[in-house]
Amino acid sequence: MSVSVVLFTADLRLHDHPPLRAALEGRRQVVPLFVRDRAVAAAGFAVPNRLAFLADCLRDLDAGLRERGGHLVVRSGDAVEEVCRVAAEADADEVHTAADASAFAHRREGRLRRALEAEGRRLYVHDSVTTAVGPGQVTPGSSDHFAVFTPYFRQWSEQRLRDVLAAPRAVRVPPGVGSEDLPVRAGLTEVSPGLAEGGEEAARRRLTAWFRSGLAAYEDRHDDLAGDATSRLSPHLHFGTLSPVELVHRARRAGGPGAEAFVRQVAWRDFHRQVLAARPTAAHADYRTKHDRWRSERTAGDDIEAWREGRTGYPVVDAAMRQLRHEGWMHNRARLLTASFLAKTLYVDWRIGARHFLELLVDGDLANNQLNWQWVAGTGTDTRPNRVLNPLTQARRHDPDGAYVRRWVPELAGVPGAAVHEPWKLPESDRARLGAYPERIVDLADGLARFKRARDRG
């Protein structure tokens, strides 16, 4: 019987999995393989929160395969060497995997294709597995990618998505292919205490519950910091325990403004992937430089550390940064305002903030993280590069009664209502009861003036 290998990467699921479906065609035996690539660890991406979530995902994937008669094979080392080794052990003639957008993934794919072909085997790379619409699938007439979201979204919306694939009923794995033990979350240190559970089963529970009770109100409530009304599906999209194609199909069937707003967010994710695929250097260099002379760790070390620790003296910023540390996740509106505070109010290099987010975010995705940071910093695709999000305006608009701040900044739990956003205005007797909550590290007017001077606008 012929054998295929399915290399799982950021697609750790059984539902709607084109590489697995293709590998099973013709009643083939399949080796479901995940490689803990040492290059990922060497690049600094194997951080505790994502390793813990990954451990959940791999154990859940293995359990799902065992229910179908198979099991997951886990190896560690160089991904190309391990795939070739497993293919040789199983006498497989095909390897199937999902396409990805990063330069690292493209280099790995090229190396793998050449190595397999040298052994007489074929590599099949499948699009629309980790995205709804793949990079390069829609392009403007004058370029290889869209640099502005609105025209991209218009064309993206016109694409016919492939049908959603059912999970396989049976997966037969050939004998004789050894596997390492599955990783476990319990063996990891420095994991955020409030980190969510990983795996496809948890993802589908979350999806069902949120589509039932949260999707309809998403358009009206997605920026409500205290309401926590976003889907929280981003970690599952990052690890591929949910299919973006399935999400779009289901949202469109549900219909309504909430579903439309949610689909737009899926498209925004795809938009960044097509930018990164076309401009790989945007992961670390300005997409559209403003020739900024950013403050650095050397010149702004104390301010940067206060931002990281959630001790800037601006409660909504501090609440968001403490949520990040506790959960390994942060509300999207909070991501925008904390990034703006660092890059524009403090005028600190966006790469410093992007690196900190990647060290903690369970959904820390290279394309979304880096390009959203650039969007906020005004060096990316934002058509208004000099906009500054005022944290007080943001707090009044998106946390009007201060519930979000009081949840994450216990020093201010006794301050009622909107007064919690400006503790420096409290009477002296009330301020004395705030304990160690810090004074503001910068006056907003001073920060704005510095930014305008830097961009030659003031």
Side-chain angles (χ1 to χ4, degrees):
M1 181 175 288
S2 55
V3 178
S4 298
V5 174
V6 176
L7 174 62
F8 287 86
T9 54
D11 50 351
L12 304 178
R13 64 181 185 268
L14 296 178
H15 289 81
D16 195 39
H17 198 285
L20 181 58
R21 171 61 66 90
L24 288 167
E25 285 183 0
R27 300 176 61 83
R28 282 175 170 264
Q29 292 183 316
V30 171
V31 181
L33 172 66
F34 182 85
V35 178
R36 294 190 286 190
D37 194 338
R38 65 186 177 213
V40 174
F45 291 110
V47 299
N49 283 340
R50 290 197 292 281
L51 287 176
F53 200 89
L54 172 64
D56 292 349
C57 293
L58 294 179
R59 297 185 76 82
D60 184 77
L61 179 59
D62 179 66
L65 288 165
R66 289 182 184 279
E67 290 175 0
R68 293 161 172 83
H71 62 89
L72 182 65
V73 172
V74 177
R75 297 287 180 91
S76 298
D78 177 80
V80 172
E81 293 175 3
E82 292 303 321
V83 171
C84 290
R85 186 173 290 117
V86 167
E89 291 173 12
D91 195 22
D93 57 352
E94 298 178 357
V95 174
H96 295 260
T97 194
D100 200 353
S102 71
F104 169 80
H106 288 166
R107 289 193 299 271
R108 183 174 63 185
E109 178 187 318
R111 288 176 54 225
L112 181 57
R113 187 181 302 279
R114 291 189 294 273
L116 289 171
E117 288 178 351
E119 298 175 353
R121 312 182 205 278
R122 295 192 63 181
L123 175 67
Y124 294 91
V125 179
H126 299 261
D127 292 321
S128 299
V129 180
T130 62
T131 58
V133 176
Q137 191 170 329
V138 293
T139 57
S142 58
S143 178
D144 57 355
H145 74 289
F146 280 94
V148 179
F149 177 70
T150 299
Y152 171 80
F153 182 55
R154 191 178 303 118
Q155 283 203 31
W156 184 95
S157 300
E158 294 171 354
Q159 300 302 302
R160 184 188 182 281
L161 302 186
R162 61 172 179 77
D163 294 335
V164 176
L165 304 173
R169 294 182 177 179
V171 177
R172 292 176 293 173
V173 179
V177 181
S179 175
E180 300 171 4
D181 292 337
L182 293 168
V184 293
R185 179 191 285 227
L188 295 166
T189 60
E190 299 183 24
V191 176
S192 292
L195 187 71
E197 178 187 2
E200 184 177 13
E201 182 179 353
R204 298 194 74 80
R205 285 199 309 268
R206 176 74 192 176
L207 172 64
T208 299
W210 189 74
F211 264 58
R212 183 185 302 122
S213 61
L215 180 65
Y218 182 70
E219 168 68 3
D220 297 326
R221 300 190 60 212
H222 69 276
D223 280 328
D224 179 359
L225 289 169
D228 197 16
T230 64
S231 72
R232 286 185 175 252
L233 296 177
S234 57
H236 296 291
L237 283 168
H238 175 68
F239 284 90
T241 52
L242 288 176
S243 158
V245 171
E246 181 182 1
L247 292 187
V248 173
H249 275 301
R250 290 184 62 167
R252 284 174 172 169
R253 284 200 302 271
E260 292 170 7
F262 179 72
V263 168
R264 188 178 179 89
Q265 291 301 311
V266 178
W268 182 251
R269 180 176 180 270
D270 283 2
F271 171 71
H272 281 154
R273 275 175 150 65
Q274 59 95 40
V275 172
L276 186 65
R279 298 291 182 271
T281 58
H284 54 80
D286 290 341
Y287 180 77
R288 291 173 174 155
T289 184
K290 300 299 177 187
H291 304 289
D292 288 289
R293 295 182 178 180
W294 301 108
R295 299 168 75 212
S296 66
E297 295 271 10
R298 182 180 61 82
T299 58
D302 290 344
D303 286 352
I304 293 166
E305 191 60 23
W307 177 82
R308 287 173 177 150
E309 292 180 355
R311 299 191 58 79
T312 67
Y314 287 92
V316 73
V317 173
D318 296 340
M321 297 305 293
R322 295 182 192 191
Q323 180 185 24
L324 171 61
R325 189 167 295 280
H326 181 80
E327 295 189 351
W329 184 88
M330 189 195 294
H331 191 289
N332 184 61
R333 174 54 55 176
R335 298 186 197 205
L336 294 176
L337 69 90
T338 54
S340 179
F341 187 83
L342 183 76
K344 294 202 169 148
T345 302
L346 296 180
Y347 197 58
V348 167
D349 193 330
W350 64 266
R351 283 160 282 246
I352 292 173
R355 184 170 64 248
H356 180 70
F357 272 28
L358 282 178
E359 288 170 354
L360 289 173
L361 282 173
V362 65
D363 60 10
D365 177 276
L366 191 67
N368 282 336
N369 188 67
Q370 307 303 89
L371 290 169
N372 269 316
W373 265 96
Q374 289 217 49
W375 187 91
V376 172
T379 65
T381 62
D382 188 6
T383 55
R384 293 172 52 197
N386 294 314
R387 82 172 84 204
V388 177
L389 298 182
N390 182 305
L392 296 181
T393 302
Q394 293 288 305
R396 295 182 190 116
R397 184 176 298 156
H398 303 302
D399 187 30
D401 67 357
Y404 178 73
V405 165
R406 281 186 291 274
R407 181 182 306 158
W408 293 107
V409 186
E411 304 98 304
L412 304 179
V415 181
V420 76
H421 296 306
E422 299 175 278
W424 56 89
K425 290 186 176 180
L426 294 172
E428 190 63 35
S429 59
D430 292 340
R431 291 177 62 191
R433 290 197 292 269
L434 300 183
Y437 189 70
E439 296 293 330
R440 295 172 292 170
I441 62 173
V442 65
D443 183 275
L444 294 181
D446 293 341
L448 180 60
R450 174 173 53 198
F451 175 70
K452 287 183 175 181
R453 287 195 302 271
R455 291 278 172 96
D456 296 321
R457 295 180 65 247

Coordinates of all heavy atoms in Angstrom, one line a residue, residues 92-145:
A92 N 7.5 6.4 2.1 CA 6.5 7.2 1.5 C 7.0 7.9 0.2 O 8.1 8.3 0.1 CB 6.2 8.3 2.5
D93 N 6.1 8.0 -0.7 CA 6.4 8.7 -2.0 C 5.9 10.1 -2.1 O 6.3 10.8 -3.0 CB 5.9 7.9 -3.2 CG 4.4 7.6 -3.1 OD1 3.8 8.0 -2.1 OD2 3.9 7.1 -4.1
E94 N 5.1 10.6 -1.1 CA 4.6 11.9 -1.1 C 4.7 12.5 0.3 O 4.5 11.8 1.3 CB 3.1 11.9 -1.5 CG 2.8 11.4 -2.9 CD 1.3 11.4 -3.2 OE1 0.5 11.8 -2.3 OE2 0.9 11.0 -4.3
V95 N 4.8 13.9 0.3 CA 4.7 14.6 1.5 C 3.8 15.8 1.2 O 3.9 16.5 0.2 CB 6.1 15.2 2.0 CG1 5.9 16.1 3.2 CG2 7.0 14.0 2.3
H96 N 2.8 16.0 2.1 CA 1.9 17.1 2.0 C 2.0 18.0 3.1 O 2.2 17.6 4.3 CB 0.4 16.5 2.0 CG 0.1 15.7 0.8 ND1 -0.6 16.1 -0.3 CD2 0.4 14.4 0.5 CE1 -0.7 15.1 -1.2 NE2 -0.1 14.1 -0.7
T97 N 1.9 19.3 2.9 CA 2.0 20.3 3.9 C 1.3 21.6 3.5 O 0.9 21.7 2.3 CB 3.5 20.7 4.3 OG1 3.5 21.4 5.5 CG2 4.1 21.5 3.2
A98 N 1.1 22.5 4.4 CA 0.3 23.8 4.2 C 1.3 24.9 3.8 O 2.5 24.9 4.3 CB -0.5 24.2 5.4
A99 N 0.9 25.7 2.9 CA 1.7 26.9 2.5 C 1.7 27.9 3.7 O 0.8 28.0 4.5 CB 1.1 27.6 1.3
D100 N 2.8 28.7 3.7 CA 3.0 29.7 4.8 C 3.6 30.9 4.1 O 4.0 30.9 3.0 CB 3.8 29.2 5.9 CG 3.6 30.0 7.2 OD1 2.9 31.0 7.1 OD2 4.2 29.7 8.2
A101 N 3.5 32.1 4.8 CA 3.9 33.3 4.2 C 5.3 33.8 4.5 O 5.8 34.7 3.8 CB 2.9 34.4 4.6
S102 N 5.9 33.3 5.6 CA 7.2 33.9 6.0 C 8.3 33.5 5.1 O 8.3 32.5 4.5 CB 7.5 33.5 7.5 OG 7.8 32.2 7.5
A103 N 9.4 34.3 5.2 CA 10.6 34.0 4.4 C 11.2 32.7 4.9 O 11.7 31.9 4.1 CB 11.6 35.1 4.5
F104 N 11.2 32.5 6.2 CA 11.7 31.2 6.8 C 10.9 30.0 6.2 O 11.5 29.0 5.9 CB 11.5 31.3 8.3 CG 11.8 30.0 9.0 CD1 13.1 29.5 9.2 CD2 10.7 29.2 9.4 CE1 13.3 28.3 9.9 CE2 11.0 28.0 10.0 CZ 12.2 27.5 10.3
A105 N 9.6 30.1 6.2 CA 8.8 29.0 5.7 C 9.1 28.8 4.2 O 9.2 27.6 3.7 CB 7.3 29.3 5.9
H106 N 9.3 29.8 3.4 CA 9.6 29.6 2.0 C 11.0 29.0 1.8 O 11.1 28.1 0.9 CB 9.6 31.0 1.3 CG 8.2 31.6 1.2 ND1 7.9 32.9 0.8 CD2 7.0 31.0 1.3 CE1 6.6 33.1 0.8 NE2 6.0 31.9 1.1
R107 N 11.9 29.4 2.6 CA 13.2 28.8 2.5 C 13.2 27.3 2.9 O 13.8 26.4 2.2 CB 14.3 29.5 3.4 CG 14.6 30.9 2.9 CD 15.9 31.4 3.7 NE 15.6 31.5 5.1 CZ 15.2 32.6 5.7 NH1 14.9 33.7 5.0 NH2 15.0 32.6 7.0
R108 N 12.4 27.0 4.0 CA 12.3 25.6 4.4 C 11.6 24.8 3.3 O 12.0 23.6 3.0 CB 11.5 25.5 5.7 CG 11.4 24.1 6.3 CD 10.8 24.2 7.7 NE 9.4 24.7 7.6 CZ 8.7 24.9 8.7 NH1 9.2 24.6 9.9 NH2 7.4 25.4 8.6
E109 N 10.6 25.3 2.7 CA 9.8 24.6 1.7 C 10.8 24.3 0.5 O 10.7 23.2 -0.1 CB 8.7 25.5 1.2 CG 7.9 24.9 0.1 CD 6.8 25.8 -0.5 OE1 6.2 26.5 0.3 OE2 6.7 25.9 -1.7
G110 N 11.6 25.3 0.1 CA 12.5 25.0 -1.0 C 13.5 24.0 -0.7 O 13.8 23.1 -1.5
R111 N 14.1 24.0 0.5 CA 15.0 23.0 0.9 C 14.4 21.6 0.9 O 15.0 20.6 0.5 CB 15.6 23.3 2.3 CG 16.5 24.5 2.4 CD 16.9 24.7 3.8 NE 17.5 23.5 4.5 CZ 17.1 23.1 5.7 NH1 16.2 23.8 6.4 NH2 17.7 22.0 6.2
L112 N 13.1 21.5 1.5 CA 12.4 20.3 1.6 C 12.1 19.7 0.2 O 12.3 18.5 -0.1 CB 11.2 20.4 2.4 CG 10.3 19.2 2.6 CD1 11.1 18.1 3.3 CD2 9.1 19.5 3.4
R113 N 11.7 20.6 -0.7 CA 11.4 20.1 -2.1 C 12.6 19.5 -2.7 O 12.5 18.4 -3.3 CB 10.8 21.2 -2.9 CG 10.3 20.8 -4.3 CD 9.7 22.0 -5.1 NE 8.7 22.7 -4.3 CZ 7.4 22.3 -4.3 NH1 7.1 21.1 -4.9 NH2 6.5 22.9 -3.6
R114 N 13.7 20.2 -2.6 CA 14.9 19.7 -3.3 C 15.4 18.4 -2.6 O 15.8 17.4 -3.3 CB 16.0 20.8 -3.2 CG 15.8 22.0 -4.0 CD 17.0 22.9 -4.1 NE 17.3 23.5 -2.8 CZ 16.7 24.6 -2.3 NH1 15.9 25.3 -3.1 NH2 17.1 25.1 -1.2
A115 N 15.3 18.3 -1.3 CA 15.8 17.1 -0.6 C 14.9 15.9 -1.0 O 15.4 14.8 -1.2 CB 15.8 17.3 0.9
L116 N 13.6 16.1 -1.0 CA 12.7 15.0 -1.4 C 12.9 14.6 -2.8 O 12.9 13.4 -3.1 CB 11.3 15.4 -1.1 CG 10.9 15.6 0.4 CD1 9.5 16.2 0.5 CD2 10.9 14.2 1.1
E117 N 13.0 15.5 -3.7 CA 13.1 15.2 -5.1 C 14.4 14.4 -5.4 O 14.4 13.5 -6.2 CB 13.1 16.5 -6.0 CG 11.7 17.1 -6.1 CD 11.7 18.4 -6.9 OE1 12.8 18.9 -7.2 OE2 10.6 18.9 -7.2
A118 N 15.4 14.7 -4.6 CA 16.7 14.0 -4.7 C 16.5 12.5 -4.4 O 17.3 11.6 -4.8 CB 17.8 14.6 -3.9
E119 N 15.5 12.2 -3.5 CA 15.2 10.9 -3.1 C 14.1 10.2 -3.9 O 13.6 9.1 -3.6 CB 14.9 10.8 -1.6 CG 16.0 11.3 -0.7 CD 15.6 11.4 0.7 OE1 14.4 11.2 1.0 OE2 16.5 11.7 1.6
G120 N 13.6 10.9 -4.9 CA 12.5 10.4 -5.7 C 11.1 10.6 -5.1 O 10.2 9.8 -5.5
R121 N 11.0 11.5 -4.2 CA 9.7 11.7 -3.6 C 9.2 13.1 -4.0 O 9.9 14.0 -4.5 CB 9.8 11.7 -2.1 CG 10.6 10.4 -1.6 CD 10.6 10.4 -0.1 NE 11.7 9.6 0.4 CZ 11.8 8.3 0.5 NH1 10.7 7.6 0.1 NH2 12.9 7.6 0.9
R122 N 7.9 13.4 -3.8 CA 7.3 14.6 -4.2 C 6.7 15.4 -3.0 O 6.2 14.8 -2.1 CB 6.1 14.4 -5.2 CG 6.6 13.8 -6.6 CD 5.5 13.8 -7.6 NE 5.2 15.2 -7.9 CZ 4.2 15.6 -8.8 NH1 3.5 14.6 -9.4 NH2 4.0 16.8 -9.1
L123 N 6.8 16.7 -3.1 CA 6.2 17.6 -2.1 C 5.0 18.3 -2.7 O 5.1 18.9 -3.7 CB 7.3 18.6 -1.6 CG 6.7 19.7 -0.6 CD1 6.4 19.0 0.7 CD2 7.8 20.8 -0.4
Y124 N 3.9 18.3 -2.0 CA 2.7 19.0 -2.3 C 2.4 20.0 -1.3 O 2.3 19.7 -0.1 CB 1.5 18.0 -2.5 CG 1.6 17.0 -3.6 CD1 2.2 15.8 -3.3 CD2 1.2 17.3 -4.9 CE1 2.4 14.8 -4.4 CE2 1.3 16.4 -5.9 CZ 1.9 15.2 -5.6 OH 2.0 14.3 -6.7
V125 N 2.3 21.3 -1.7 CA 2.1 22.4 -0.8 C 0.7 22.9 -1.1 O 0.4 23.3 -2.2 CB 3.1 23.5 -1.0 CG1 2.8 24.7 0.0 CG2 4.5 23.0 -0.7
H126 N -0.1 23.0 0.0 CA -1.6 23.3 -0.2 C -1.9 24.8 0.3 O -1.5 25.1 1.4 CB -2.4 22.3 0.6 CG -2.2 20.9 0.1 ND1 -3.1 20.3 -0.7 CD2 -1.3 20.0 0.4 CE1 -2.7 19.1 -1.0 NE2 -1.6 18.9 -0.3
D127 N -2.5 25.5 -0.5 CA -3.0 26.9 -0.2 C -4.3 26.8 0.6 O -4.9 25.8 0.7 CB -3.1 27.7 -1.4 CG -1.8 28.0 -2.1 OD1 -0.8 28.2 -1.4 OD2 -1.8 28.0 -3.4
S128 N -4.6 28.0 1.2 CA -5.9 28.2 1.9 C -6.1 27.1 3.0 O -7.2 26.5 3.1 CB -7.1 28.1 0.9 OG -7.0 29.2 0.0
V129 N -5.0 26.9 3.8 CA -5.1 26.1 4.9 C -5.0 26.9 6.2 O -5.8 26.8 7.1 CB -4.0 25.0 4.9 CG1 -4.1 24.1 6.1 CG2 -4.0 24.2 3.6
T130 N -4.0 27.8 6.2 CA -3.8 28.7 7.3 C -4.4 30.1 7.0 O -4.3 31.0 7.9 CB -2.3 28.9 7.7 OG1 -1.6 29.4 6.6 CG2 -1.7 27.5 8.0
T131 N -4.9 30.3 5.8 CA -5.5 31.6 5.4 C -6.8 31.2 4.7 O -7.0 30.1 4.3 CB -4.7 32.4 4.5 OG1 -4.4 31.6 3.3 CG2 -3.4 32.9 5.1
A132 N -7.7 32.2 4.7 CA -8.9 32.0 3.8 C -8.6 32.2 2.4 O -9.0 31.4 1.5 CB -10.0 32.9 4.3
V133 N -7.9 33.3 2.1 CA -7.4 33.6 0.7 C -5.9 33.7 0.8 O -5.4 34.5 1.6 CB -8.0 34.9 0.2 CG1 -7.4 35.2 -1.2 CG2 -9.5 34.8 0.1
G134 N -5.2 32.9 0.0 CA -3.8 32.8 0.2 C -3.0 34.0 -0.4 O -3.6 34.7 -1.3
P135 N -1.8 34.3 0.1 CA -1.0 35.4 -0.5 C -0.8 35.2 -2.0 O -0.5 34.1 -2.5 CB 0.3 35.2 0.3 CG 0.0 34.5 1.5 CD -1.1 33.6 1.2
G136 N -1.0 36.3 -2.7 CA -0.8 36.2 -4.2 C -2.1 35.8 -4.9 O -2.1 35.8 -6.1
Q137 N -3.1 35.4 -4.2 CA -4.3 34.9 -4.9 C -5.1 36.1 -5.4 O -5.7 36.0 -6.5 CB -5.2 34.2 -3.9 CG -6.4 33.4 -4.5 CD -7.1 32.5 -3.6 OE1 -6.5 31.9 -2.7 NE2 -8.4 32.3 -3.8
V138 N -5.0 37.3 -4.7 CA -5.6 38.5 -5.3 C -4.4 39.5 -5.3 O -3.7 39.7 -4.3 CB -6.8 39.0 -4.5 CG1 -7.9 38.0 -4.6 CG2 -6.5 39.2 -3.0
T139 N -4.3 40.2 -6.4 CA -3.2 41.3 -6.5 C -3.8 42.4 -7.4 O -4.6 42.2 -8.2 CB -2.0 40.7 -7.2 OG1 -2.3 40.2 -8.5 CG2 -1.3 39.6 -6.4
P140 N -3.3 43.6 -7.1 CA -3.6 44.8 -8.0 C -2.9 44.6 -9.3 O -2.0 43.9 -9.5 CB -3.1 46.0 -7.2 CG -2.0 45.4 -6.4 CD -2.3 44.0 -6.0
G141 N -3.4 45.4 -10.3 CA -2.8 45.3 -11.6 C -1.3 45.8 -11.7 O -0.6 45.4 -12.5
S142 N -0.9 46.7 -10.7 CA 0.4 47.3 -10.8 C 1.4 46.8 -9.8 O 2.5 47.4 -9.8 CB 0.2 48.8 -10.6 OG -0.4 49.1 -9.4
S143 N 1.1 45.8 -9.1 CA 2.0 45.3 -8.0 C 1.8 43.9 -7.7 O 0.8 43.3 -8.2 CB 1.8 46.2 -6.8 OG 2.6 45.7 -5.7
D144 N 2.7 43.3 -6.9 CA 2.5 41.9 -6.5 C 1.7 41.7 -5.3 O 1.5 40.6 -4.8 CB 3.9 41.3 -6.4 CG 4.8 42.0 -5.4 OD1 4.4 43.1 -4.8 OD2 5.9 41.5 -5.1
H145 N 1.3 42.8 -4.6 CA 0.5 42.7 -3.4 C -0.2 44.1 -3.2 O 0.1 45.1 -3.8 CB 1.4 42.4 -2.2 CG 2.2 43.6 -1.7 ND1 3.3 44.0 -2.4 CD2 2.1 44.3 -0.6 CE1 3.8 45.0 -1.8 NE2 3.1 45.2 -0.7

